[in-house]
Amino acid sequence: MRVFSGIQPTGAIHIGNYLGAIRQWIELQDKNECIFCIVDLHALTSPYDPAKLENSILEKAIVYLAAGVNPEKSVIFIQSQVKEHTELTWLLNTVTPLGDLGRMTQFKEKSKKFKENVNAGLLNYPVLMAADILLYQTEIVPVGEDQKQHVELARTIARKFNQKFGETFKIPEAKISETGKRIMSLSYPAKKMSKTDPSESRIDIFDSPEKIKEKIMRAVTDTGKSIKYDLKKKPGISNLLTIYSLLANKTIEELEKKFEKKGYAEFKKTLANAVIDALDPFRKKQQEFLSRDVYVKTILEQGKKRAQLIAGSTMADVRKKMGLS
Ligand code: ATP
Ligand code: LTN
């Protein structure tokens, strides 16, 4: 099956991105044809520093590699280097219902978050995402829960296009991890962990052991004393239990038992050590790839060529179907 997913290059990759998306990518790459993109064009819709973008992109390629994306099996490339993404976006805009775009949760949230810059790109963001997915005749899109609505819209757009112009696109399906689909912020357990929120609210996958400890010890917990999974009454502790369980490969029940008679402080200390251990290999690999930037750039260059071949072939079909020469 063809798999496609992407992450925006601005901001550091956190354990929400890892547990919600990247972990699924690693599992899928053995048996599927995977394409993983660094979606720099999407990142332009939120405030960013142009002088830092190139470096941010390279850092993300290193995250993909350090987290286990294997360039021998999967394609890794930069969205803006394959021009078909922007070309198809325009064409898909002509079949996308405007009302659907205004109803997207991410658009509503980001319009509030970046009040001073509610640009049209923010509204059209899901059309570019649909172009990313449909260009590659994608069947599976592994993402976190927050992106489900966008994948649904990509399905709608694909269906509309196929109806109007004839069978052209495969209808993709979102793949969402049951347990890691929504890791919450350490500071506001009611909100998802996010790249664009303050650093103390998230654990980045390359955070130092000291930082991890500090952030976990400061994480907002709930009233009461027990270490129990209860999303309604104990969202903070439940989120920490989920993180622990996924990173240390232990069940929530096992953890509840282990900490039955223990307090929050001891739980957090043990959790911090578990997170540090789980992320340690990533930090080591990051160091290795940082000193091999020519190798990383070569992978991106090869990825671009492989992506271009598929994207070019889909675009030729789309242009023909739409009556463009
Ligand atoms: P922002 O919140 O600023 O938009 P982000 O942290 O969501 O950024 P993205 O690049 O938008 O980062 O997301 C990359 C992938 O990570 C997507 O598949 C998304 O669904 C997933 N993801 C993001 N945050 C979480 C989270 N808190 N829990 C689980 N998955 C997440
Ligand atoms: N919008 C996604 C990133 C993204 C993506 C994609 C994910 C852009 N294009 C295609 C899957 C498939 C986000 O996480 N914010």
Side-chain angles (χ1 to χ4, degrees):
M1 298 251 241
R2 177 73 53 71
V3 175
F4 186 99
S5 194
I7 294 188
Q8 302 185 65
T10 41
I13 302 271
H14 50 77
I15 55 171
N17 302 135
Y18 175 65
L19 296 171
I22 301 175
R23 226 159 98 135
Q24 301 200 81
W25 302 1
I26 313 298
E27 282 164 18
L28 285 163
Q29 70 180 345
D30 286 334
K31 297 212 174 103
N32 300 281
E33 199 182 326
C34 294
I35 305 176
F36 301 122
C37 185
I38 298 166
V39 292
D40 52 349
L41 297 173
H42 278 107
L44 311 185
T45 59
S46 298
Y48 76 102
D49 181 351
K52 293 196 179 134
L53 188 60
E54 192 185 344
N55 202 38
S56 270
I57 292 171
L58 213 57
E59 271 171 24
K60 296 320 168 282
I62 292 179
V63 172
Y64 288 11
L65 294 168
V69 174
N70 180 346
E72 314 240 308
K73 293 182 181 158
S74 305
V75 173
I76 305 177
F77 79 104
I78 302 168
Q79 185 187 35
S80 66
Q81 292 191 345
V82 178
K83 303 229 178 323
E84 283 79 358
H85 290 250
T86 37
E87 187 180 0
L88 183 60
T89 301
W90 177 255
L91 302 179
L92 295 182
N93 264 321
T94 64
V95 296
T96 304
L98 183 60
D100 286 7
L101 292 178
R103 274 193 291 277
M104 293 290 120
T105 308
Q106 183 179 292
F107 170 67
K108 290 194 255 181
E109 281 176 359
K110 294 243 156 133
S111 312
K112 261 193 248 157
K113 199 162 175 172
F114 303 112
K115 269 199 199 86
E116 68 297 340
N117 183 21
V118 184
N119 59 81
L122 212 50
L123 181 73
N124 282 328
Y125 180 112
V127 188
L128 175 58
M129 179 160 159
D132 297 342
I133 297 169
L134 302 180
L135 260 183
Y136 299 92
Q137 303 295 349
T138 303
E139 293 158 281
I140 307 176
V141 187
V143 281
E145 193 178 43
D146 62 305
Q147 294 302 314
K148 191 174 173 191
Q149 202 181 24
H150 288 163
V151 180
E152 286 298 322
L153 184 58
R155 288 164 64 87
T156 306
I157 294 173
R159 278 199 209 97
K160 278 198 183 291
F161 190 100
N162 288 349
Q163 262 163 20
K164 211 165 167 179
F165 300 105
E167 273 309 302
T168 307
F169 297 120
K170 285 234 167 85
I171 310 295
E173 217 166 288
K175 185 169 186 303
I176 292 163
S177 148
E178 195 36 57
T179 42
K181 62 187 179 193
R182 197 169 165 82
I183 301 299
M184 309 310 277
S185 154
L186 297 183
S187 318
Y188 311 96
K191 278 183 62 189
K192 80 166 186 113
M193 190 176 280
S194 161
K195 282 207 204 99
T196 36
D197 279 340
S199 154
E200 68 270 15
S201 69
R202 43 166 226 266
I203 295 168
D204 298 333
I205 76 162
F206 294 147
D207 267 349
S208 67
E210 297 72 38
K211 264 204 181 144
I212 295 174
K213 204 170 269 170
E214 195 183 306
K215 288 177 182 178
I216 291 184
M217 295 317 282
R218 283 206 196 145
V220 168
T221 44
D222 322 285
T223 50
K225 284 188 186 147
S226 58
I227 317 290
K228 277 246 157 267
Y229 188 90
D230 183 334
L231 274 183
K232 278 213 176 104
K233 291 191 194 134
K234 290 180 154 286
I237 287 291
S238 301
N239 187 41
L240 296 182
L241 276 168
T242 301
I243 293 171
Y244 200 151
S245 150
L246 291 172
L247 287 179
N249 260 325
K250 292 189 174 11
T251 65
I252 302 270
E253 295 73 36
E254 254 176 273
L255 294 172
E256 284 176 339
K257 218 171 196 175
K258 181 173 161 97
F259 293 100
E260 207 171 0
K261 296 198 176 81
K262 308 277 165 57
Y264 285 174
E266 187 168 347
F267 169 64
K268 282 180 161 183
K269 248 188 235 161
T270 322
L271 165 63
N273 287 330
V275 175
I276 291 166
D277 286 349
L279 300 185
D280 187 54
F282 299 157
R283 262 191 316 276
K284 290 199 174 124
K285 291 221 180 89
Q286 178 202 26
Q287 291 312 316
E288 184 192 321
F289 288 120
L290 277 174
S291 61
R292 295 174 69 197
D293 67 324
V294 176
Y295 170 72
V296 178
K297 284 183 183 157
T298 310
I299 287 172
L300 290 170
E301 193 54 37
Q302 285 167 350
K304 166 181 141 182
K305 288 190 184 131
R306 285 168 71 187
Q308 243 161 6
L309 273 180
I310 310 172
S313 137
T314 304
M315 266 322 293
D317 187 29
V318 169
R319 292 178 65 101
K320 204 164 107 208
K321 294 259 179 46
M322 292 186 86
L324 301 164
S325 53

